Structures are given as C-alpha cells and as structure tokens.
Amino acid sequence: MRPPVGSKNMTNKMIFAKLNFFFPLLFLLLLYVFFSVSFFESCFDDAFISFRYTENLLAGKGFVYNEGEKVEGTTNFLWVLFLGAFSLLSGLDIETSALVLAFLLSSITVLISYYVSCQIFERVFPERANSNFKYFAAFFAIIILFGNANFLILSLSGLEVPLIHFFLALFLFLSIKNEKLFSRLVLFLLSLTRPEFVALLALNEIIEKDYTVRIRGLIFCTFAFFLIFGGRLLYFGDFFPNTFYAKTNAETSFSLGLREFLAFLKSGGWLCVFILIALLFQKEQLERKIFVFSLFYFLYIIILGRNSLGYFRFYIHLLPLISPFLILLFKFFYKFIPISLMIFIFLLSPISFHFFTDLGNPRESVNFMNFCWKKIGTWLNENTKKETTIALNPIGQIGFFSKRPILDMLGLIDRTIAKSPRTQSKTRIIGHEKSNSEYVLGRKPDIIILRGALFYPKPLTIKEMAGSDSPFRGDNELFRHPIFQKEYQLINIKMENLFFPFFLRKNSRDLVQLSNSETPIFESFTENSTNSQLLR
C-alpha cells in the first residue's frame, strides 16, 4: 500500500531540517579542528603546575605540589581532578590527557553553543522558527569563538579554560530549558574550577524573580560556600587559594586593567559590548541574568588588573556565555537590514576573521622558553639526587620534569612568600611582585636558578648576572645578600650548544652529578674575578 503523499513530504522536510541543522554544526567542528591545530604549539608553562598536582594526586600523595606540603598553588581544583580521572581511565600521560580532554570539551562546547543559538533564534524570531536562516544565524553566532585567536590558543593551553567554557555553555543550555537545580549544580562545579565564579553562583540566586526559588537557591549557595571555603580551610589551612595571597597587591591595578580591557575591545571584543547592550534591552529573565553576570565579571577583571599570562585570558572565559546572543543583534537591526545581508556583514566583520591576523605569527620567545624549561627540568631529573631542593621563579615545566622538591621564590606554592609584603620594583611583572630572600636562604636550597631560567649563547659571569636588571625583585635581593655570596657559586652547564647558569650551594656538591656534563664552569663570589675554573 502506497503511503500518503502528505506523509512522504513531511518525512522529507524532517530529513532536510536535520541536515540543515547538522551541516553548519559539522562545518563548525571542522573549523575548530583546523584552526586549533594551526594555532597549537605547546601547553603553557603555568599548566604544568596543575600537571604536577595531578601527578602527585595519582601517586597517592594528596593534592600537593611538594610531597607533605598542603598548599593550594592552583586556582583550578576541579580541572586537576578531571585531568587525573581522565588520565587514569585513558592510560595517557598527563600532558597528552590535558590536550585530548581540552579538545573534547571544546568540541562539546561548540555543539551546545550552536544548539543554544538555535533556541535563542526561535525565541527572537518565532515567525522564522522553521527557516533555514536559523542555522546560518546560529553558525555566525558561534563563529565568534573562532573569530578570536586567543580562544583557539587558550583552548589547547593545558589550562582549565575548556572546562570553564563547557560549564558556561551547559549552564546556558540548562537555563533555557528552565532547569533551575541542574543550572545551580553547574555553577557550583564552575566555582570549584575557578574560585571567582562563586560570585556568579550567588548572583544567579540574588537576581531570581521567584521568591520561593530564590530562597531555595540561597540555601543552596550557603551550603556550597560552606563546602568550598570550609573544605579549603580544613585541608589547606586557608580560605582562599595560595595564589590569591601571592598575587594580591595593596596597590590598585585599575589603570592596567582598563588598558587591557581597551586592548581586548580593539582585538575584536567590541562585538561583545554590542551584545551586552542588546541584552540590556531585553525583558526576559535569562537575558537579564547574562547581562548582570557579564557586566559584573568584566568589572571584576578590570579592577583586578592586567593578567600577566596575556591572551585576554579572563575575557575569553565568557565568550561561550555571550556569543549565542549575537542573535539579538539580528533582531536589533532587523527592521533596517535584511537578515541575509546582516549575516554577510558579520561574516566580513573583523571579529569573524580576526584569526587571520595571528596566523603565521610564531611565538618565538615563548617557544624558546618552553624549550629551555623542559630541557632544564629533564637535566635536573637525570643529574641530581631526589632530595635536591631547587629554588627558582618559573616553576611550571622545570618543576614537572625535574620531579624534585621546589621552592617557588614567587610564592605561588609557598605560603610564607605568598603572605610576605609586596615589594616595589619598576621592572616587576604583574602578579609576580612577592619575594622573601631571608626566608629562601633560610630554607638552604641546594640549587638556586635566577632570572628566567634560560639558555645563553655563552657562559655568564656573576658580574653579568648581577648587572642585569632581573624582572623578579627577589633575584636582585639575593645577589646583594652576604649569605648567598658566601654559600653559593655560579655554575654554567653546556647543553644544546648553549649554556645554562645556576647557583649551587657549596655544601651540596654531592647532590649534583656534573661529570656527565661538558666542561661545567664555576665562579665564586669570593674570587671577584672573571676567571673561571673547571669544577673538581
């Protein structure tokens, strides 16, 4: 029996509708794969701090950087747990697990954001709910993510950024579905990923219109706050992560934060501002929430000051929360410009093609630093005894690959230095102002690596190292300290036809194996000369 003609047409329409939905989505995912591979070079050095926490957690040593020292030197607690679980289940090493997990989370974020954009289109243009324009509009709303090169770089940086993007996209999806409880749980998980999102958890309930729902939400917030801050206090002994104390300054950085915000606008973030203006004129509660969330978060970042990592890291956090609402701009200009022309305009806009400005722009300096740090960390692992204590500034890759006890002279993983007074220095790096030379020397580290822990084309002398103005104030304090001059000597090790200088404690020579190195060169402060001798 032949099926009715109307039924066959309906089936064809459903098939075409699904194809129209999936084709742009597939194209988005392919774009993400292509540009992510194009931009990826290596994980960021800061990511290796979390990697070491993950490694120790899997080894049964607890959530610690140095064994036996309960200091929270990361601000991505849940990312460390996710990374550990994924590495354990997949059998992959931690660095590879971070990249694979980040890629999966970012891909899911694209899928969720695309779906949410389609839902927003139906709310904004109910008369065009079945139109193919819905899928094209959703496509260009999500292209904002790829329209910013910083998103692509950060998504595979090894940091917690992909997990934040995933939770924000999931929160938006659940909010559209009016799933109050699950959206709260997602914000709670987000707060465990980055501590500042605790404020969004509270804001979500404070601006809730329904009184009963608001009271339930505030009770949930109270429980969540107690769990987050109480748990941290019980395990680590502090209400906030140690990095909060290490990077907090008494001096405001508002002007630096404002400059970074203006730079973000110039690099393509201006479209986010237009979306926020469009959100301001919406009456729906979800749109109002997103506006309040975004405004609060932007102000928080500006007041916080410039992020030393770069890439507009904190601004990029909010892109999955804001980008689907690009649809609102279509509504705003709908009466004046046909929607097809609007799509064409957004396609040609600077934000859509911003990635072209950074293509072919290699980060030579970053690549060189990563090369140095990995080589130095590996050399220390192979040529020092396990009990060798190393004091240095950039602890990421060197700490991860060396597997040695680390004394962080910037205080990220050291409670004493983190709570020391902020030093004044014209050459300081934002968020890296803390130092305490008395405390460092009191710990008697076996090796001290000053400056940026890099390779140099020739052996450096003490005079050359002391004469250069280090960006880290603690380095300059150590050079002037009599105990450092008395107890330490400079050694230059040749690696990769370059030289790696570090200071070795005279009483710790038996901890370092130098016979495998090519003509190690040393110099003591007491010699006060440029003559170097072979270490014997």
Side-chain angles (χ1 to χ4, degrees):
M1 184 176 180
R2 182 178 296 179
V5 176
S7 175
K8 185 176 180 180
N9 291 338
M10 184 64 68
T11 303
N12 290 336
K13 287 182 179 180
M14 291 177 62
I15 293 174
F16 280 118
K18 289 181 179 180
L19 290 175
N20 288 335
F21 174 82
F22 283 108
F23 275 147
L25 176 60
L26 180 61
F27 189 45
L28 279 171
L29 292 174
L30 290 175
L31 276 178
Y32 172 67
V33 172
F34 174 75
F35 287 114
S36 294
V37 172
S38 300
F39 276 92
F40 175 72
E41 291 174 351
S42 62
C43 291
F44 285 12
D45 189 64
D46 283 7
F48 287 87
I49 300 176
S50 301
F51 294 172
R52 178 152 163 165
Y53 273 94
T54 304
E55 186 177 58
N56 286 333
L57 190 63
L58 292 176
K61 299 176 182 178
F63 199 97
V64 295
Y65 187 90
N66 290 320
E67 187 173 357
E69 299 179 12
K70 292 183 177 180
V71 180
E72 189 178 7
T74 66
T75 50
N76 52 14
F77 175 78
L78 194 61
W79 172 243
V80 171
L81 299 187
F82 266 60
L83 189 53
F86 188 83
S87 179
L88 189 65
L89 293 173
S90 66
L92 299 172
D93 64 81
I94 295 172
E95 186 176 358
T96 305
S97 295
L99 295 174
V100 173
L101 183 58
F103 180 80
L104 291 175
L105 287 171
S106 295
S107 299
I108 296 171
T109 299
V110 170
L111 193 154
I112 295 174
S113 299
Y114 176 71
Y115 176 83
V116 168
S117 297
C118 290
Q119 296 297 304
I120 294 174
F121 184 93
E122 292 181 4
R123 293 170 60 180
V124 174
F125 298 100
E127 73 281 3
R128 288 176 170 262
N130 297 320
S131 170
N132 290 335
F133 279 124
K134 174 174 66 176
Y135 307 114
F136 287 110
F139 173 86
F140 290 114
I142 305 308
I143 205 68
I144 293 178
L145 299 179
F146 312 124
N148 197 305
N150 301 298
F151 172 86
L152 297 167
I153 294 171
L154 289 168
S155 67
L156 292 178
S157 63
L159 297 170
E160 70 282 355
V161 178
L163 187 59
I164 292 174
H165 288 165
F166 168 73
F167 281 140
L168 286 173
L170 186 59
F171 167 76
L172 199 53
F173 169 80
L174 292 171
S175 297
I176 283 181
K177 297 293 184 182
N178 202 31
E179 295 284 352
K180 302 285 186 182
L181 176 60
F182 289 114
S183 61
R184 284 192 197 112
L185 289 173
V186 169
L187 286 180
F188 171 66
L189 294 175
L190 191 60
S191 302
L192 290 175
T193 308
R194 284 288 305 186
E196 60 264 28
F197 285 107
V198 170
L200 297 191
L201 177 63
L203 278 175
N204 184 55
E205 308 306 333
I206 292 173
I207 61 181
E208 173 63 47
K209 289 183 178 180
D210 190 308
Y211 178 78
T212 305
V213 175
R214 188 193 310 157
I215 294 300
R216 291 175 182 172
L218 291 174
I219 293 173
F220 177 85
C221 281
T222 303
F223 173 77
F225 283 19
F226 177 79
L227 192 62
I228 293 171
F229 293 103
R232 179 178 286 122
L233 183 63
L234 287 174
Y235 188 83
F236 296 108
D238 285 307
F239 276 109
F240 300 103
N242 194 65
T243 53
F244 170 82
Y245 303 102
K247 294 188 175 185
T248 299
N249 302 320
E251 178 186 352
T252 179
S253 300
F254 179 80
S255 60
L256 292 173
L258 187 59
R259 265 185 277 172
E260 185 181 34
F261 176 68
L262 294 175
F264 170 68
L265 297 183
K266 186 178 179 181
S267 72
W270 56 268
L271 192 53
C272 293
V273 175
F274 280 109
I275 294 174
L276 289 182
I277 294 173
L279 285 168
L280 178 62
F281 291 97
Q282 304 305 306
K283 297 180 180 179
E284 292 79 2
Q285 186 175 5
L286 174 61
E287 280 77 354
R288 288 292 180 88
K289 277 188 178 182
I290 302 304
F291 173 78
V292 173
F293 282 3
S294 303
L295 183 63
F296 172 85
Y297 195 72
F298 281 163
L299 289 175
Y300 163 76
I301 298 171
I302 293 172
I303 294 172
L304 188 67
R306 184 175 179 269
N307 171 40
S308 60
L309 184 66
Y311 302 103
F312 307 112
R313 174 187 177 186
F314 295 129
Y315 291 103
I316 298 302
H317 283 172
L318 285 192
L319 280 185
L321 194 65
I322 297 175
S323 61
F325 289 98
L326 178 68
I327 305 296
L328 296 176
L329 295 185
F330 290 163
K331 178 184 178 182
F332 191 75
F333 293 108
Y334 180 63
K335 293 182 179 179
F336 309 101
I337 307 174
I339 194 167
S340 55
L341 182 58
M342 282 191 282
I343 292 175
F344 180 72
I345 291 172
F346 282 117
L347 175 63
L348 296 180
S349 67
I351 187 68
S352 296
F353 285 100
H354 180 64
F355 44 73
F356 285 120
T357 62
D358 285 339
L359 282 175
N361 181 24
R363 298 177 292 157
E364 288 92 350
S365 60
V366 175
N367 290 338
F368 178 70
M369 287 188 289
N370 288 334
F371 166 77
C372 294
W373 293 333
K374 185 173 182 178
K375 285 286 183 181
I376 290 171
T378 303
W379 185 88
L380 290 168
N381 177 262
E382 295 173 349
N383 294 278
T384 62
K385 294 183 179 181
K386 291 184 178 180
E387 63 269 25
T388 305
T389 301
I390 304 167
L392 74 162
N393 297 304
I395 65 171
Q397 294 180 69
I398 295 177
F400 180 76
F401 290 108
S402 68
K403 316 296 182 190
R404 297 294 179 262
I406 297 295
L407 173 55
D408 176 16
M409 295 195 294
L410 297 176
L412 295 179
I413 60 167
D414 190 283
R415 185 176 285 108
T416 301
I417 296 177
K419 295 185 178 181
S420 298
R422 181 183 62 83
T423 59
Q424 300 289 339
S425 173
K426 293 181 180 180
T427 59
R428 70 179 188 268
I429 299 176
I430 302 300
H432 296 73
E433 297 93 341
K434 298 293 181 74
S435 66
N436 191 329
S437 59
E438 292 287 345
Y439 167 75
V440 170
L441 293 171
R443 288 279 303 272
K444 298 182 178 180
D446 304 299
I447 292 175
I448 297 179
I449 305 174
L450 300 180
R451 301 173 77 175
L454 301 174
F455 292 154
Y456 298 90
K458 67 181 184 67
L460 295 186
T461 65
I462 290 177
K463 184 177 181 180
E464 288 173 329
M465 293 197 71
S468 62
D469 192 10
S470 173
F472 306 108
R473 181 63 182 266
D475 291 4
N476 303 324
E477 292 176 355
L478 282 173
F479 270 116
R480 294 191 297 266
H481 205 289
I483 293 179
F484 178 71
Q485 296 178 9
K486 179 181 178 181
E487 296 186 359
Y488 290 85
Q489 60 186 173
L490 174 64
I491 295 181
N492 282 271
I493 299 297
K494 190 174 183 180
M495 288 188 286
E496 303 289 337
N497 294 319
L498 296 169
F499 289 88
F500 161 50
F502 65 90
F503 288 86
L504 176 65
R505 193 165 179 264
K506 295 177 181 179
N507 293 338
S508 302
R509 291 187 185 181
D510 59 323
L511 297 177
V512 182
Q513 178 64 40
L514 295 172
S515 60
N516 297 329
S517 304
E518 182 181 345
T519 59
I521 302 170
F522 86 99
E523 180 187 2
S524 297
F525 282 90
T526 53
E527 293 174 0
N528 194 26
S529 68
T530 58
N531 296 324
S532 299
Q533 303 176 8
L534 294 180
L535 181 62
R536 298 175 186 176

